Amino acid sequence: MPLEPLRFAVLGAVRVFRGDAELELGGPQERAFLALLLVGAGRPVAVSEIVDVLWGAAPPRSAVNVVRRHVGSLRRLLEPGLAARAEGRRLVRDAGGYRLVTDGDSSDLLRFRALCEEGRRIADRSPAQALELLTEALSLWRGPLAVGIPAQARAHPAFDAVDRELPAAVRLAADAALRAGRPDVVLADLRQAAARHPLDEPLQAGLLLALAAAGHRSEALAAYEAVRARLAEELGIDPGAVLRDARDTVLHGVRETVLHGVRDMVLHGVPEAAVGSSSGESSAEVSDGAGADGSLADPAPAHAPAPGPPSPPALPPPAQLPHGTEVFTGRDAELDEAFALSGADGSGPGTVAISAIGGMAGVGKTTLAVHWAHRVADRFPDGQLYVNLRGFDPSGAVLDPGEAVRGFLGALGVPPERVPHGVDAQAALYRSVLAGRRVLVVLDNARDTEQVRPLLPGSPGCLTIVTSRDELHGLVAAHGAHSLVLRPFDAVQARDFLVRRLGAERVAAEPRAADEISELCAGLPLALACVAARAAGHPHFPLAAVAAELREAHGSLDAFVRSDASVDVGTVFSWSSRAVSAAAARLFRLLALHPGPDLCLPAAAALAGLPVRRARPLLAELTGLHLVTEHSPRRYAFHDLLRAHAGELVHERHTEADRAAALNRLHHHYLHTVHAADRLLAPNADPLPPPPAPEGVHPEPLADDDRALAWLTAEHAVLLAVVETAAASGQPVQERLACQLAWSLEPFFDRRGHWHDGLAVQRTALDAARRLADPALEARGLRGLARVEGRLGLHSRSVPRLERALELFTELGDDTGRAHTHRSLGWECDQRGDLPGALRHNRFALGLFRTLGDRAAQAGVLNSVGWYHAQLGEYRRALTHCFEALTMLQELGDRYGQAATWDSIAYAHHHLGRHPHALLGYRNALALLRDLGVPYVEADILVRVGDTHLATGDHDGARTAWQQALVLLRSLNHPDAERVEALLNARDGHAGAV
């Protein structure tokens, strides 16, 4: 007798039902494990993440075994009668973790999301129907998320991300209700959500507008005053533009604005990530305190804003489309269909999917998408976004949607430090930034609908082109996408293709040979391009000879054999690779070992164990035959079909020892270059020195910190992949290398604000360190992960990790590790306002560094000690420490540290009344920061420059400095811009023209 279907609930208490009977889930830890799987919503949850949720910063040594017991118990609960150690169908092993198989019928979370998505999709044309869907979605929440699990587990970011979906859904429902003329329907949900999220200004604005529309104007105004008071008391800020606009609407009683302007005021208000703090953090530990608080005197509220300062210069719209081919041919009918879909005026459907029959590779999906995008780009004046999602990359390195969203946000001008935590929140911010813009988005090589979904714009005016081997039925069904199917070239199209590349005269002279080449290439444009490149390079070769060579070659890409013809496309690539020199062919095979998404010449040289000067002509051979593409200057990539072919060849023709040696050279190339960059960016850090580089490895020379930053930026995505690949190798030497690489990347991620990427690699490093069972590595891993968690505001997790790291360093007798951990604990004290505690930890670190004789570290911590003395009002003691630090930093050539120290010195002089000295110190700091390119810290200091000018009575100088700060902050889309604007308006209101 078949079992009744299962139903899972996590929107409230964690529960499982079989039919109408509720299953017994066990204790809090078992419930937490299930809850984590449920909020994963079908994605694999890594074992390390499970351990993190169940035990936090101090898991027992038996943690992984306990997780396995929980897995077995849950499998037997969900599938009674399952054999011991059998995987079953419900809880499956996937991507190194576990995935719970659910769908919209069995999971309340997935049902909630599907209803919200459908409501969002139809809101414009049918707000009443959208309201019904959204109220049904809200009814699925039967209390706070995951009731019944331990508070420590509940604090995990995965639960926070789902929590944020509820107020977002309430805002959607409020918008639909107002536009449908039924505000009373959502008032209960709005009141409840507003009470749970009292500082969410767009949500509070929605409540005000709904109350007013329902006739409760007095209650709406009282609610505004309550929010205003709370913002002032808890954050020290006035209401933002979204809330003020809603209040003005209520006051003036403009019902049309309530009903039709709510979308701009509520849905596209200040992102949640911008709520909660009006001050920034320092961007590197060398300036843990210097200028980190960004504190200002409380400005008077600007009730009647004066004309503001000039708007910041607009960032150039993103233009990320790859180069199009100049010899595009053979897709006239498909192009006509594409233009019809996108509309003559660019206002066609929001999403268009291009897919090939059976997921066929090499059929020209990307070429068509890029050509189409270039043809219609002028219809999208706000820019073009492009990303290769690597959905079918043979290496398995599928691009995480969160990484893609963060890349788009950066291209759209959102600074990394303002990007919220969690892919759902990031996607919401992305949609908010795109609202009202006309942007063309190309999502290339998508794995499936789930990978694409977070990258879809949420409002009309944008065109999204998606390419995939998957038919993306979910995208078509849920988002109204149109499917444009590509097939291999027919005989006429294939001949036209060859004519464009070889000339009409040559093809007409040997039509039968041309047709045979087309047939042997199975009509695939990629294969035809490789053959045409070989023939074009030898214009005196008869095409019949080219066809004969191709016919006699043997390939082995079995996965890409056409089902309707006895043609092996691998034959084409095998034949092409034989046309290059033996050394180039060897390089082609070894390149398949690179984790991608692309590589540079020195990395290729490391794989082959060759000097760069010898590798350069070999890469030129490969690009000449289209076996490798130089997709941007000095950056090379494979088509994934060619990568698969190279991967087969490297396993056929190279021993396991050869492959391991090549990968070892590659990993050392990156480790040694990153280590050199680390020493330039953070000379006071304590990275583990890398082991000696094997023969054939030539790290890239980095002359200064500017060159280091440029190299790290270019290799950013590659380095993430290398850390993951090395950590997953199962080889202790490579796992240790992954740890070292992750820790050496800390200064770069911190300087650039890439904390989400930092979080991923630090988790990987800590997992690897624990597998190696090395306490010294575990201590570094705990500290590295804690630092980035602290930057992301996850202090409940970061502080226990730092305390555990300090215990381990103490047990090991590692005074350097202890000192750096005390610095990090000092920063944590600063973040919670414990300035004496911050000073105490930094003094302890200073004593250790002096005992160790580490001058670079002493210099950095001396400035921090001075800064905290200044914050505590001990300005003369602050100057003593800071001038000592400055002398050492100048001797060391640490420009970033010098800038931070000049800021501290100037701050102390200002409070001692030595205003000319303060202005000189600030000027020195700004000169260094502008040279280094650190705009947020520059803006922070400019605010203090304005304060100093104001103290001297120089109102014009104050206004100029604040205006410069405002321009920078607006260009960064930073919430501190409102505070600086308030400063300017307050001075206008109280002192005339400042």
Side-chain angles (χ1 to χ4, degrees):
M1 179 176 178
L3 293 172
E4 293 187 84
L6 292 168
R7 289 183 292 113
F8 299 89
V10 72
L11 305 181
V14 182
R15 306 171 77 182
V16 180
F17 296 87
R18 176 171 285 113
D20 294 328
E22 183 171 358
L23 304 185
E24 177 56 51
L25 298 180
Q29 196 173 73
E30 287 86 347
R31 291 176 182 271
F33 173 49
L34 174 59
L36 181 62
L37 293 170
L38 288 171
V39 298
R43 70 169 175 84
V45 180
V47 172
S48 59
E49 190 175 355
I50 297 169
V51 170
D52 214 20
V53 166
L54 299 187
W55 290 282
R61 293 188 179 276
S62 60
V64 173
N65 288 331
V66 175
V67 169
R68 288 175 181 151
R69 286 201 296 272
H70 288 332
V71 169
S73 298
L74 184 55
R75 281 174 172 166
R76 289 188 293 275
L77 176 70
L78 301 180
E79 299 182 70
L82 190 67
R85 300 187 179 277
E87 184 172 279
R89 297 178 298 104
R90 276 290 184 182
L91 182 54
V92 298
R93 187 83 170 153
D94 191 357
Y98 295 95
R99 176 168 57 87
L100 185 64
V101 179
T102 57
D103 56 29
D105 293 327
S106 61
S107 164
D108 60 352
L109 174 58
L110 292 179
R111 175 65 178 159
F112 166 76
R113 288 175 174 171
L115 289 166
C116 289
E117 191 62 46
E118 181 64 13
R120 180 186 290 109
R121 189 179 68 82
I122 67 171
D124 287 332
R125 67 174 185 268
S126 180
Q129 188 178 354
L131 178 59
E132 290 183 14
L133 293 170
L134 292 165
T135 52
E136 182 184 349
L138 295 175
S139 71
L140 295 172
W141 286 76
R142 297 176 175 85
L145 181 70
V147 172
I149 72 172
Q152 171 190 294
R154 182 61 184 74
H156 190 271
F159 297 101
D160 291 340
V162 176
D163 261 338
R164 286 193 290 270
E165 295 182 40
L166 178 57
V170 173
R171 290 198 296 267
L172 275 174
D175 173 54
L178 290 167
R179 298 169 73 214
R182 300 180 60 196
D184 53 303
V185 173
V186 295
L187 274 179
D189 288 309
L190 267 171
R191 286 189 174 108
Q192 189 175 39
R196 287 180 180 171
H197 304 274
L199 301 180
D200 184 333
E201 294 189 53
L203 184 64
Q204 301 293 338
L207 176 60
L208 263 64
L209 294 169
L211 286 168
H216 306 297
R217 183 170 176 271
S218 298
E219 185 182 348
L221 293 174
Y224 173 81
E225 287 302 317
V227 176
R228 184 194 62 75
R230 190 155 192 167
L231 289 170
E233 180 182 350
E234 296 191 19
L235 302 180
I237 62 175
D238 290 328
V242 174
L243 203 51
R244 293 198 307 270
D245 287 349
R247 186 271 316 267
D248 292 345
T249 297
V250 174
L251 282 172
H252 298 128
V254 185
R255 186 170 177 80
E256 288 300 305
T257 303
V258 171
L259 293 181
H260 301 297
V262 66
R263 180 175 297 275
D264 288 336
M265 287 192 286
V266 178
L267 295 185
H268 299 150
V270 180
E272 288 183 10
V275 179
S277 176
S278 59
S279 63
E281 298 177 357
S282 82
S283 62
E285 286 221 2
V286 71
S287 59
D288 272 356
D293 72 330
S295 57
L296 298 169
D298 290 337
H303 297 296
S311 297
L315 291 173
Q320 298 183 334
L321 293 179
H323 297 299
T325 177
E326 296 179 1
V327 289
F328 184 86
T329 188
R331 295 296 186 195
D332 294 340
E334 290 89 345
L335 268 179
D336 289 343
E337 185 178 351
F339 292 142
L341 291 174
S342 54
D345 61 354
S347 59
T351 304
V352 177
I354 303 175
S355 61
I357 293 175
M360 185 175 293
V363 79
K365 300 181 296 294
T366 298
T367 302
L368 174 64
V370 171
H371 184 77
W372 173 16
H374 277 292
R375 291 280 298 273
V376 299
D378 59 342
R379 303 177 190 172
F380 300 91
D382 296 315
Q384 309 95 45
L385 299 171
Y386 171 88
V387 65
N388 178 4
L389 295 171
R390 308 200 299 271
F392 296 89
D393 192 294
S395 69
V398 178
L399 187 68
D400 180 76
E403 186 178 341
V405 171
R406 294 193 293 274
F408 280 174
L409 287 172
L412 291 165
V414 179
E417 63 269 20
R418 303 313 305 163
V419 175
H421 187 63
V423 67
D424 292 329
Q426 292 160 7
L429 176 58
Y430 166 68
R431 291 191 295 271
S432 298
V433 171
L434 286 185
R437 298 192 190 186
R438 294 179 64 82
V439 175
L440 174 62
V441 183
V442 180
L443 308 176
D444 193 15
N445 197 14
R447 182 79 178 183
D448 51 32
T449 299
E450 291 307 309
Q451 190 187 24
V452 167
R453 199 185 306 277
L455 302 168
L456 298 177
S459 56
C462 297
L463 171 66
T464 305
I465 303 173
V466 185
T467 76
S468 178
R469 296 182 204 170
D470 185 89
E471 294 186 11
L472 301 177
H473 293 302
L475 200 63
V476 174
H479 298 274
H482 294 263
S483 181
L484 179 61
V485 178
L486 294 190
R487 296 176 175 82
F489 283 158
D490 59 26
V492 174
Q493 291 173 316
R495 182 178 289 192
D496 289 343
F497 185 98
L498 293 175
V499 166
R500 292 293 299 272
R501 284 159 174 77
L502 302 178
E505 183 177 348
R506 190 175 180 188
V507 173
E510 297 183 78
R512 292 181 62 183
D515 289 344
E516 185 177 6
I517 289 171
S518 301
E519 183 180 351
L520 289 168
C521 290
L524 288 181
L526 177 63
L528 284 165
C530 291
V531 176
R534 164 79 164 144
H538 298 277
H540 303 299
F541 281 18
L543 292 184
V546 174
E549 283 186 20
L550 186 57
R551 188 169 55 250
E552 294 167 5
H554 297 283
S556 58
L557 275 183
D558 297 332
F560 298 100
V561 174
R562 291 183 62 193
S563 60
D564 60 344
S566 57
V567 177
D568 185 350
V569 177
T571 296
V572 177
F573 305 135
S574 179
W575 170 80
S576 296
S577 62
R578 292 179 189 180
V580 298
S581 65
R586 173 177 177 268
L587 177 60
F588 173 71
R589 298 190 298 269
L590 292 173
L591 290 178
L593 300 174
H594 193 282
D598 62 2
L599 77 161
C600 60
L601 172 61
L607 270 170
L610 296 172
V612 170
R613 60 181 175 76
R614 289 184 57 193
R616 182 179 287 109
L618 303 182
L619 264 181
E621 279 191 69
L622 299 177
T623 55
L625 282 179
H626 291 232
L627 293 170
V628 173
T629 303
E630 188 175 6
H631 68 92
S632 64
R634 297 181 296 280
R635 305 294 303 180
Y636 301 87
F638 273 125
H639 186 286
D640 54 8
L641 195 57
L642 285 159
R643 177 190 281 272
H645 179 57
E648 289 185 351
L649 293 178
V650 78
H651 280 82
E652 287 175 4
R653 304 188 187 181
H654 294 265
T655 65
E656 184 176 350
D658 288 340
R659 298 193 301 271
L663 269 177
N664 190 47
R665 289 192 298 268
L666 180 72
H667 293 166
H668 274 274
H669 163 77
Y670 286 118
L671 175 60
H672 282 263
T673 309
V674 170
H675 179 76
D678 179 22
R679 304 311 295 141
L680 289 166
L681 296 180
N684 63 334
D686 66 330
L688 286 174
E695 186 178 354
V697 173
H698 307 281
E700 298 198 42
L702 304 174
D704 52 33
D705 50 3
D706 289 335
R707 177 70 184 121
L709 280 171
W711 182 84
L712 288 164
T713 300
E715 301 291 344
H716 183 166
V718 173
L719 293 168
L720 296 177
V722 171
V723 171
E724 292 295 329
T725 302
S729 67
Q731 301 174 20
V733 171
Q734 297 302 317
E735 289 183 293
R736 183 182 180 88
L737 187 148
C739 293
Q740 291 180 265
L741 187 54
W743 300 330
S744 293
L745 285 168
E746 267 194 87
F748 169 63
F749 288 145
D750 205 38
R751 181 83 67 92
R752 286 291 192 245
H754 295 303
W755 297 314
H756 301 282
D757 291 335
L759 188 69
V761 299
Q762 293 300 338
R763 279 179 174 161
T764 298
L766 179 56
D767 289 345
R770 284 172 169 162
R771 285 195 300 272
L772 293 168
D774 184 330
L777 296 182
E778 182 178 357
R780 286 177 175 268
L782 287 164
R783 188 179 65 196
L785 181 53
R787 282 172 171 169
V788 72
E789 286 175 333
R791 296 300 192 205
L792 288 167
L794 305 174
H795 301 294
S796 63
R797 310 181 74 79
S798 58
V799 172
R801 289 194 207 279
L802 287 172
E803 291 170 345
R804 176 57 182 153
L806 186 60
E807 291 175 4
L808 287 173
F809 282 126
T810 302
E811 292 169 6
L812 293 163
D814 183 346
D815 286 346
T816 301
R818 290 172 60 206
H820 283 282
T821 308
H822 274 295
R823 291 208 66 193
S824 297
L825 284 165
W827 185 85
E828 291 285 352
C829 288
D830 184 354
Q831 297 307 294
R832 60 177 182 264
D834 179 10
L835 295 176
L839 179 59
R840 183 175 63 256
H841 277 294
N842 277 276
R843 277 178 170 166
F844 203 102
L846 180 59
L848 288 169
F849 285 135
R850 280 177 168 157
T851 301
L852 293 163
D854 187 338
R855 284 179 56 78
Q858 281 181 63
V861 77
L862 272 168
N863 174 53
S864 294
V865 169
W867 173 256
Y868 290 121
H869 276 303
Q871 291 290 290
L872 292 166
E874 301 167 351
Y875 304 114
R876 297 183 189 280
R877 296 184 70 180
L879 288 172
T880 299
H881 286 91
C882 290
F883 275 117
E884 184 181 355
L886 184 64
T887 300
M888 298 172 71
L889 290 162
Q890 288 170 337
E891 292 172 356
L892 293 163
D894 182 352
R895 295 187 294 162
Y896 195 86
Q898 291 172 52
T901 306
W902 275 119
D903 179 32
S904 301
I905 290 169
Y907 181 86
H909 277 311
H910 170 89
H911 286 276
L912 287 169
R914 301 171 180 171
H915 299 122
H917 293 79
L919 290 173
L920 177 62
Y922 286 137
R923 193 154 47 242
N924 290 338
L926 289 170
L928 288 162
L929 290 169
R930 285 165 180 160
D931 190 37
L932 291 167
V934 191
Y936 173 68
V937 182
E938 180 185 343
D940 197 35
I941 291 176
L942 280 167
V943 173
R944 288 195 280 281
V945 171
D947 294 343
T948 303
H949 278 303
L950 190 64
T952 67
D954 181 3
H955 299 293
D956 290 337
R959 167 167 283 282
T960 299
W962 289 337
Q963 284 179 331
Q964 291 172 349
L966 186 61
V967 167
L968 287 169
L969 291 168
R970 281 178 170 168
S971 72
L972 293 169
N973 193 29
H974 200 286
D976 282 3
E978 287 189 14
R979 189 179 54 174
V980 177
E981 190 171 12
L983 268 178
L984 287 161
N985 291 335
R987 295 312 309 165
D988 284 342
H990 294 109
V994 174

